[in-house]
Amino acid sequence: MLSFRITTRQGEKLLPSPIAVVYNSEFSVPADDVTLEIPYVKGCEDGDFLLGYENSSLVFKGQIDEIVTLKSSNKITVKITARSMAGILLDNEAEPCIYFNASSSVIFERHLKPFGFADFEGDNEPYFGYLKISKGMSQWQVFENYCVNKYGRSPRITGDGRVLLNGISDKEVLCFGKNESYDYTSAEKKIKRYKVISEVRLKVVQGNRYGSAIKNSLADTRLVRRRYVDALNGGGSVGTADRIIKKSNENAFEVVLTCPYRLMCEVGRKAKLRDETLGSFDGLYVHKLRYTSDSSGEKTVITLKKEI
């Protein structure tokens, strides 16, 4: 089971062994979240940050969102809910401004470092372009817009607080299967045909027609699901159309594995599956992780999707 500490005004405090733990991490959601239930301990209401450890390795760091003390006839427990460090960026508004040819270090110094981030993983080359920070945008939106424009994909802040500019984990590939590194007790393969966008039509010249089309080469020709993008006046582009198609292809296939043990891997990590019934699949990645621990034991549910 994971162990937890909190930071208080008096320093770090080790919490009692949890009665129950739920840990959620999803590639398309900026912040991981943890909910744990512990026996009551004096001083925990003063908690600021929650730190989660697997053995001696930090796997979660985040500011506490809620502390609930529950008293019944014969016991007192405390439920603590926290989000990882990305939650701080989601909760803070950015100062409106305009950037031209901003480097990674400029964005980091102005939008991440003031909130407790120490460093980032990625290059410091500038993004040669224009980036407008509008009133009401969060610090996360600024950071994400910069990385999407520069790398074509969203960044990732890991559960332990590491900042990955291109959102990619470079750790070794996870191998799932009966005779592989990670076995499972159940597996479910989902093919979601309704998710696939077959074509995106673009307006690129003045007028009412969306005369250009970007077709999805991976779509079943029997399917017709169309979207429209105004690349002239609506702020869209050919890149927008490509991202719509790519996202639809990613969402059309997934495998859900139930593992009867704790597996605290980073979402975004590359994976492969070897299953005699479902088939063999390379080019997968960990899209979602849900770890639970209670009196019945530990379990990790892993959702794998295809890299497109």
Side-chain angles (χ1 to χ4, degrees):
M1 181 178 284
L2 301 177
S3 62
F4 292 91
R5 293 175 176 268
I6 56 172
T7 62
T8 68
R9 291 181 178 86
Q10 285 72 44
E12 282 193 16
K13 185 179 187 68
L14 177 65
L15 297 177
S17 296
I19 299 168
V21 178
V22 178
Y23 183 109
N24 292 301
S25 182
E26 186 171 348
F27 192 69
S28 55
V29 176
D32 297 357
D33 67 83
V34 170
T35 300
L36 67 148
E37 184 180 357
I38 59 170
Y40 176 79
V41 57
K42 187 177 180 180
C44 62
E45 295 95 338
D46 186 43
D48 182 18
F49 279 85
L50 179 68
L51 309 173
Y53 293 88
E54 183 176 36
N55 300 320
S56 59
S57 298
L58 180 69
V59 294
F60 179 84
K61 178 183 179 182
Q63 199 156 33
I64 295 171
D65 285 333
E66 188 174 62
I67 303 172
V68 179
T69 303
L70 307 167
K71 183 178 180 180
S72 63
S73 57
N74 57 356
K75 66 177 182 178
I76 305 176
T77 60
V78 178
K79 183 184 288 186
I80 297 175
T81 304
R83 287 173 296 157
S84 60
M85 293 293 288
I88 300 175
L89 301 184
L90 289 166
D91 292 348
N92 280 276
E93 185 178 348
E95 181 181 350
C97 66
I98 296 176
Y99 288 111
F100 292 98
N101 303 337
S103 66
S104 301
S105 60
V106 167
I107 298 298
F108 179 82
E109 290 285 332
R110 295 183 182 178
H111 298 281
L112 281 83
K113 190 174 181 179
F115 300 97
F117 295 93
D119 202 357
F120 64 87
E121 297 180 23
D123 65 77
N124 194 32
E125 296 298 319
Y127 161 63
F128 292 104
Y130 161 93
L131 192 67
K132 182 179 180 180
I133 315 305
S134 303
K135 175 72 176 73
M137 288 180 67
S138 69
Q139 300 286 2
W140 171 261
Q141 287 175 304
V142 174
F143 180 45
E144 183 178 42
N145 286 355
Y146 176 81
C147 293
V148 167
N149 278 293
K150 183 174 178 180
Y151 300 105
R153 60 189 303 153
S154 295
R156 182 72 193 169
I157 296 176
T158 62
D160 59 358
R162 289 165 41 239
V163 177
L164 310 178
L165 295 188
N166 64 3
I168 299 173
S169 172
D170 58 1
K171 295 185 177 180
E172 65 182 34
V173 177
L174 296 170
C175 302
F176 292 92
K178 185 176 181 180
N179 299 313
E180 303 293 336
S181 301
Y182 299 97
D183 199 359
Y184 43 84
T185 53
S186 69
E188 182 179 17
K189 182 174 71 173
K190 301 179 181 180
I191 299 173
K192 304 179 180 181
R193 300 175 78 243
Y194 68 95
K195 291 284 188 179
V196 179
I197 303 302
S198 57
E199 180 183 86
V200 177
R201 291 192 175 272
L202 292 156
K203 180 193 285 189
V204 294
V205 296
Q206 205 70 25
N208 296 322
R209 287 187 55 79
Y210 288 74
S212 298
I214 306 293
K215 294 186 179 295
N216 185 351
S217 61
L218 300 181
D220 188 326
T221 54
R222 297 171 296 175
L223 299 175
V224 178
R225 291 186 177 85
R226 190 174 290 130
R227 297 291 184 269
Y228 292 85
V229 171
D230 188 343
L232 188 65
N233 304 309
S237 65
V238 173
T240 305
D242 288 337
R243 284 193 290 272
I244 290 172
I245 289 174
K246 179 182 177 183
K247 189 70 174 178
S248 79
N249 290 337
E250 287 178 350
N251 291 333
F253 176 91
E254 68 180 37
V255 176
V256 181
L257 306 174
T258 300
C259 305
Y261 49 82
R262 180 178 65 250
L263 178 56
M264 303 303 295
C265 63
E266 294 174 6
V267 293
R269 190 165 169 181
K270 297 179 185 299
K272 61 182 179 180
L273 174 68
R274 299 290 181 265
D275 190 282
E276 59 184 14
T277 303
L278 301 184
S280 295
F281 299 94
D282 295 304
L284 304 176
Y285 75 96
V286 178
H287 177 75
K288 187 191 299 185
L289 177 151
R290 180 177 175 85
Y291 163 76
T292 56
S293 174
D294 54 29
S295 59
S296 64
E298 294 180 298
K299 179 176 68 175
T300 309
V301 178
I302 298 285
T303 300
L304 304 176
K305 288 191 174 186
K306 286 183 178 179
E307 291 184 299
I308 304 296

